Amino acid sequence: MIEQENYMPEKFRIGHPAIDVQHEVLFVFYHELMLSLQNADDSYHLSDIFLGLGSYVLNHFKFEEDAMLATHYEQSAAHCEEHHLLKEKVAEFHNRFVSVKNMKEEHAIAQEIAVFLANWLEHHIAEVDKQLAHHLNQWQ
Amino acid sequence: MALKISKDGDTVTIMFPEIFGFSLRREFKEATSSHRPGIRYQLDLRTVTKIDSSALGMLLLFREGAGGESADISFIGVRPEVRRLLQLANFQNLFKFS
């Protein structure tokens, strides 16, 4: 599995190798977002972090949704609805992000994204994805 | 420098050391910060035996900076254990594997 640095607290590990790795990457994005908000001198551009995060979230959701479909997961509809809500939120943040007029606005939106992401990771991984991992591990 | 970078026409090849992780963050970011349209990147992982989640994040941020969906980035020489991790991360949908 992944060696060395790991920004994902152990309580978020749900016991499915692929989903755990993908969640670790989401936590890396959160870490990069925080570095950028702190104006660390080697931080990435907020736009790259935001667009990269959005792109990877969609990739991760597709992985989970394909797995749910392939294993006839009973909670699939509710789970996908949570994904749908996050996709809408990402799209909303994206629209606001691309129309910012200055660094201050960009910074404010990035802070909102960080708070939203932290809350979402806490709820979705620790509760909803844990149930999915249990189902997928039983299916194998 | 831990990264070895070479150019051949419009192709830039970046060769990584045995461990690709957070310690390479600054160097990798500097090496990949200036992008020009039409550049093809080859990430040579033949000597990489260990890779961490920071590296996966770096690769995704690099992809985004290089144009996102239009970026032309390929992994070459990927060892089976590293390939497995990249596939667990579902990178086969985002990068090319040669």
Side-chain angles (χ1 to χ4, degrees):
Chain A
M1 197 53 56
I2 285 190
E3 313 276 349
Q4 309 168 65
E5 293 287 340
N6 182 10
Y7 300 108
M8 185 172 79
E10 278 305 304
K11 70 171 184 172
F12 289 101
R13 199 165 293 284
I14 60 176
H16 187 280
I19 296 176
D20 277 335
V21 168
Q22 291 168 29
H23 287 164
E24 283 184 44
V25 175
L26 294 179
F27 275 91
V28 171
F29 272 108
Y30 178 74
H31 177 74
E32 291 291 349
L33 190 56
M34 298 311 289
L35 281 180
S36 188
L37 284 170
Q38 292 157 14
N39 294 317
D41 60 359
D42 60 346
S43 59
Y44 281 86
H45 292 298
L46 272 175
S47 58
D48 286 350
I49 298 170
F50 178 69
L51 294 173
L53 173 63
S55 171
Y56 194 67
V57 161
L58 297 182
N59 186 46
H60 168 60
F61 283 176
K62 183 167 188 325
F63 176 89
E64 287 190 348
E65 288 166 13
D66 287 349
M68 286 189 262
L69 190 64
T71 60
H72 313 289
Y73 183 45
E74 286 184 358
Q75 305 299 319
S76 175
H79 197 128
C80 289
E81 178 61 19
E82 289 225 356
H83 286 180
H84 177 68
L85 291 173
L86 183 67
K87 285 177 198 171
E88 283 190 337
K89 196 71 185 173
V90 168
E92 178 200 319
F93 278 132
H94 181 267
N95 290 338
R96 289 172 57 197
F97 198 85
V98 295
S99 61
V100 293
K101 295 180 179 64
N102 54 51
M103 291 288 286
K104 193 177 170 186
E105 276 186 38
E106 186 177 276
H107 207 266
I109 294 174
Q111 277 185 319
E112 267 189 68
I113 295 168
V115 170
F116 177 81
L117 184 61
N119 289 334
W120 191 83
L121 289 171
E122 179 83 34
H123 161 69
H124 189 77
I125 293 178
E127 297 173 23
V128 181
D129 281 348
K130 207 166 206 168
Q131 292 174 11
L132 173 60
H134 180 69
H135 163 79
L136 294 176
N137 288 335
Q138 281 192 323
W139 183 270
Q140 287 171 348
Chain B
M1 301 289 275
L3 297 174
K4 291 179 182 155
I5 301 166
S6 58
K7 284 185 183 178
D8 181 7
D10 288 335
T11 301
V12 173
T13 302
I14 303 174
M15 190 165 197
F16 293 79
E18 186 178 351
I19 297 173
F20 180 16
F22 186 78
S23 61
L24 284 180
R25 184 180 178 282
R26 185 181 290 263
E27 189 181 340
F28 182 69
K29 183 173 179 296
E30 285 173 2
T32 56
S33 59
S34 57
H35 306 288
R36 283 190 292 116
I39 292 287
R40 178 168 182 256
Y41 292 93
Q42 289 188 322
L43 306 182
D44 189 337
L45 303 181
R46 76 185 63 183
T47 58
V48 176
T49 58
K50 290 182 179 175
I51 185 167
D52 72 7
S53 52
S54 317
L56 299 177
M58 282 184 246
L59 289 167
L60 290 165
L61 286 163
F62 166 49
R63 177 182 179 271
E64 207 55 52
E69 286 187 14
S70 64
D72 188 350
I73 305 171
S74 306
F75 294 121
I76 57 174
V78 188
R79 292 177 182 229
E81 64 271 29
V82 173
R83 180 182 291 266
R84 180 173 177 272
L85 181 60
L86 294 171
Q87 287 176 333
L88 286 174
N90 217 21
F91 272 28
Q92 63 274 22
N93 294 334
L94 303 170
F95 297 89
K96 295 175 194 163
F97 285 73
S98 299

